[in-house]
Amino acid sequence: MGRNMKKIMRSLGLAMAVVLIPASAYAVNLSSNDGNGTQTVTSHGDQSFTSTGKLRSNTGKKVYYRGIVIYNNYTDYTCDRISSNTTSKSYVTRGGSCSQLAPIPPSADAAGWKVCRDRTGLPDGCGSMGKQNF
């Protein structure tokens, strides 16, 4: 095999390795005024996902992850709380699962999350949504 052919084969091998890296391997950064962290999809189905990551409270107040099943051509489904609260100012492992209860025709396209503050007697405030496509 010639020198140029080896370079071409090596380049093709590297290109294939990059293409085959799953998108789910990348963590999604999430934040709100009250907390921040990351989430990564570990598995998903037609209308569900399971994820894990890190979460911390910016202020020492209770924060958690809210999960959302995202559809391109259908109304998104919010699961509300998918993790337990944390008040830790250091990152702790948090995650959970989100599933549409009644199966519907389209398959989900992505997982979504928000960092929310647990406020007793008041609506929970949440940051903007981050998502990861399947």
Side-chain angles (χ1 to χ4, degrees), residues 114-129:
K114 292 181 179 184
V115 175
C116 301
R117 178 175 162 201
D118 189 342
R119 300 190 304 179
T120 306
L122 295 169
D124 293 348
C126 297
S128 59
M129 183 178 70

Side-chain angles (χ1 to χ4, degrees), residues 87-102:
T87 57
S88 175
K89 291 186 179 182
S90 299
Y91 288 107
V92 293
T93 301
R94 290 290 186 271
S97 58
C98 183
S99 178
Q100 176 100 24
L101 299 177

